[in-house]
Amino acid sequence: MDFMSSLQNGFDDQKPSIFELLSEQQLSSLIPPSLRYLLALATHRHPRYLLRLLNSFDEVYALLMLAVERQYLLTYGGGFTENFYGLKRERVLRIKGGEAPRAQIAVPSLMRETLKLTSSDVWRNLAIMVGLPYIRRKLDESYDIHAPQVTILGPSYNRDTLPPDATLRQRILYYYKWFLRNIYPSVNAAYYFSLLAFNLAYLFDNTKYSSPFLWLIGTRIRRLGGADHRAIALALQPHPTPPTTGARPGQNTSILNPRTLATIVYPRLLSSLKLLLPTSIFALKFLEWWHASDFSRQLSRKAAEGLDLPPPIIPGLPSSPGLSKPPASASTSNPTTTKSTTTNTVSLSNPPPTQHPNSTKPRRKPPTSSTTLLPILTVPPPSPLTTSLCPICLHPIQTPTAAQTGYVFCYACIFKWVDGSHERQLAFMDGSSGGDEGWGEDEDDAEDDDEEEEAGDARIGERGSGSGVNVDGDGDGDGATTGGDNHNRKKEKGRKSRQGRWESGKGRCAVTGRKVLGGTDGLRRVMV
């Protein structure tokens, strides 16, 4: 690395190598997610005080870095992480070539004062160091929220339309989403291509700027020299303040004195970050290795060995029938006694569960809406053997997405279910079969039986009033015809709409029937 730096720099010893700049950029990009992670851990212990701070982390971090970077630019001539690598920022001379090597050697202190950042240069650099990363983080976060809907569900499912009488906020939000889906990917690609082009040009000594934004503001990054270290040491020395006439003893040196806070406490507090940075880097790198290494996974797997975790228990839903099985010894020791007891004993407190006519499994009672008092369409919860399958489509889970109840589904399945447009919901509300649970079929069968009795009475009356018609079922084929008509009527009745009698589960979890706060925006992708 040193050999490449010497070949690149030639006689200019103050020009940093591309490797130093890339290391500084990597360190700067590592700080925000690390602080967010530590804040998230602390929020789990004290959510009442830290939850709002975590939700506004980007804004709080931007304000904090604005104060820190400004102090470092004014004191050290470089940013927080740049000072750790011994780098600074300076203006570029508006002369041919932008260099004055003889003056740099003869009068380094005068050249430092000439190339020092002015107040306007400091604010322009802060806009690039703090404002630009903040905007990129917010755009990336918004893109991750709005883009997957079109990517996974397809562009035909995009329902974001601008109403005719839209308000100003709706128009801004509509065009903002359109920008994220159509223009932002190209802008992001152009941003990275421009960085790559400037890095290559800087590597081969074709430009003095390692970034297109530094070129826009006329600032370049250099190494700290001897004159810089002397000026920094002189600036960090505390300035003695003469005692005020008539002041009490210790009044001017109190830590709560505003002048003391501004001249002594605040600069020393920011300077102490130089000691905390190497320690925090070591700790963060250790945590990164710990979570990425196979050692931690093996240790966690060994600690969780033999633990049989039960499925989540949702209040209001009956327990799974597989969890209340009688002991095997009691059922196999005396089968005769068990059979007689089951047959002759009826428990009034625990009546036998209602079973579907075509199934031997006990049926699960559907949840009921607290507002409409209608039963809600849900799907059976996953069993221990089907935890890797989506409870809605019963296929292996694609793009795992969790609802607020803890159940995981395919992204497309749970998105359409919460939106109320899933195929199972539409088929059920149109009158198709109730699926695995057989819900809605008892009501249809009862209505079918009532209509069959009324239709049978009407046919008997018509046949009895006619002449020479046998209504006693003497085997002339009338009974078979009647049975066929009943079967056709049942099929037609089975397709009767369930609107007004059932809720389709729109806006609810597909397993528990509970409301999903925020609708489709309340779903969260699961990183596996």
Side-chain angles (χ1 to χ4, degrees):
M1 182 182 297
D2 295 338
F3 177 69
M4 287 293 296
S5 176
S6 299
L7 288 180
Q8 169 191 335
N9 295 333
F11 70 93
D12 192 359
D13 294 334
Q14 290 189 348
K15 182 178 180 180
S17 65
I18 189 65
F19 305 104
E20 296 176 72
L21 298 180
L22 293 179
S23 300
E24 184 272 328
Q25 293 172 9
Q26 183 181 9
L27 176 61
S28 179
S29 63
L30 182 65
I31 294 178
S34 303
L35 293 180
R36 187 193 294 268
Y37 175 74
L38 297 177
L39 182 60
L41 292 180
T43 305
H44 282 292
R45 294 181 175 272
H46 307 283
R48 180 180 179 181
Y49 306 102
L50 300 178
L51 185 58
R52 291 185 178 181
L53 186 62
L54 181 62
N55 292 336
S56 305
F57 173 80
D58 292 330
E59 290 74 15
V60 174
Y61 178 78
L63 294 177
L64 178 63
M65 291 307 297
L66 183 65
V68 173
E69 297 288 5
R70 183 178 180 275
Q71 176 66 21
Y72 267 76
L73 285 175
L74 294 176
T75 306
Y76 302 98
F80 175 57
T81 54
E82 293 169 353
N83 182 258
F84 176 75
Y85 283 93
L87 303 177
K88 68 172 183 177
R89 294 180 177 232
E90 67 178 19
R91 296 184 298 163
V92 178
L93 291 175
R94 297 184 179 274
I95 60 176
K96 186 177 180 180
E99 298 288 351
R102 294 182 180 180
Q104 186 72 34
I105 297 175
V107 283
S109 300
L110 181 60
M111 287 296 298
R112 181 188 181 277
E113 294 299 327
T114 303
L115 301 177
K116 185 179 179 180
L117 298 178
T118 62
S119 179
S120 59
D121 293 328
V122 169
W123 287 109
R124 280 195 290 265
N125 281 271
L126 287 175
I128 292 178
M129 299 168 64
V130 180
L132 185 62
Y134 170 75
I135 294 175
R136 287 195 61 251
R137 282 196 299 268
K138 301 304 288 187
L139 288 175
D140 290 340
E141 181 181 352
S142 301
Y143 180 79
D144 292 338
I145 293 175
H146 298 290
Q149 298 180 3
V150 180
T151 304
I152 298 177
L153 302 176
S156 59
Y157 196 78
N158 184 17
R159 296 184 176 181
D160 287 336
T161 57
L162 188 64
D165 53 345
T167 61
L168 180 60
R169 180 180 179 183
Q170 291 176 340
R171 291 179 181 275
I172 294 176
L173 185 61
Y174 172 79
Y175 289 116
Y176 177 64
K177 292 182 179 180
W178 180 86
F179 167 78
L180 290 176
R181 294 167 178 168
N182 298 280
I183 299 180
Y184 180 68
S186 302
V187 174
N188 197 33
Y191 168 79
Y192 283 107
F193 274 118
S194 63
L195 288 180
L196 177 61
F198 269 81
N199 286 336
L200 291 177
Y202 185 86
L203 177 64
F204 292 103
D205 204 12
N206 293 326
T207 181
K208 298 178 176 60
Y209 310 98
S210 59
S211 168
F213 303 102
L214 293 177
W215 170 72
L216 288 175
I217 63 175
T219 304
R220 63 178 178 176
I221 298 179
R222 306 283 283 176
R223 288 196 183 105
L224 291 174
D228 298 304
H229 289 290
R230 288 191 296 270
I232 292 174
L234 183 62
L236 293 180
Q237 289 182 358
H239 300 283
T241 56
T244 306
T245 306
R248 294 191 303 270
Q251 181 178 359
N252 294 330
T253 59
S254 174
I255 194 175
L256 300 180
N257 189 2
R259 181 177 297 178
T260 305
L261 290 175
T263 58
I264 300 178
V265 178
Y266 180 65
R268 290 188 178 182
L269 180 63
L270 294 179
S271 301
S272 64
L273 295 177
K274 298 177 62 177
L275 302 177
L276 295 177
L277 185 60
T279 308
S280 60
I281 291 174
F282 174 77
L284 294 175
K285 286 296 182 181
F286 176 78
L287 290 176
E288 183 181 1
W289 167 82
W290 176 262
H291 289 288
S293 64
D294 189 61
F295 173 75
S296 61
R297 298 177 185 176
Q298 292 180 0
L299 190 63
S300 302
R301 191 182 301 113
K302 195 169 184 180
E305 228 172 43
L307 294 178
D308 190 11
L309 299 178
I313 299 176
I314 306 298
L317 291 181
S319 58
S320 177
L323 299 178
S324 58
K325 293 182 179 180
S329 59
S331 60
T332 56
S333 60
N334 195 352
T336 307
T337 307
T338 304
K339 183 176 181 181
S340 61
T341 304
T342 306
T343 306
N344 300 329
T345 304
V346 178
S347 176
L348 298 179
S349 60
N350 297 321
T354 308
Q355 296 187 0
H356 187 258
N358 300 328
S359 175
T360 59
K361 298 187 299 182
R363 293 181 55 185
R364 186 169 60 95
K365 185 179 180 181
T368 304
S369 173
S370 60
T371 55
T372 62
L373 302 181
L374 296 177
I376 305 170
L377 173 64
T378 56
V379 297
S383 63
L385 300 178
T386 60
T387 54
S388 61
L389 303 181
C390 174
I392 299 177
C393 65
L394 302 180
H395 292 292
I397 298 178
Q398 301 292 333
T399 315
T401 303
Q404 296 164 357
T405 54
Y407 287 97
V408 181
F409 311 85
C410 299
Y411 180 82
C413 293
I414 189 59
F415 186 94
K416 293 181 179 179
W417 188 280
V418 175
D419 191 63
S421 59
H422 196 273
E423 293 80 2
R424 291 187 64 172
Q425 292 172 299
L426 300 178
F428 180 82
M429 298 305 292
D430 288 342
S432 299
S433 173
D436 299 335
E437 303 291 345
W439 289 339
E441 296 182 4
D442 294 341
E443 301 175 2
D444 298 338
D445 293 341
E447 294 180 3
D448 290 341
D449 294 338
D450 295 339
E451 293 188 1
E452 287 172 12
E453 292 180 1
E454 296 177 359
D457 295 340
R459 283 194 298 272
I460 291 175
E462 293 176 358
R463 294 180 181 179
S465 61
S467 56
V469 179
N470 187 359
V471 297
D472 295 332
D474 54 357
D476 56 355
D478 294 339
T481 304
T482 304
D485 295 340
N486 293 340
H487 180 70
N488 294 335
R489 280 195 300 273
K490 283 186 178 182
K491 291 179 64 178
E492 295 177 357
K493 186 65 178 179
R495 291 192 295 268
K496 185 178 179 181
S497 174
R498 294 189 175 93
Q499 296 290 344
R501 297 183 297 164
W502 283 77
E503 282 196 14
S504 63
K506 178 180 179 181
R508 300 177 179 270
C509 174
V511 174
T512 63
R514 292 181 174 270
K515 283 281 188 180
V516 177
L517 301 180
T520 54
D521 294 335
L523 304 176
R524 291 293 178 264
R525 301 274 297 278
V526 179
M527 306 305 294
V528 180

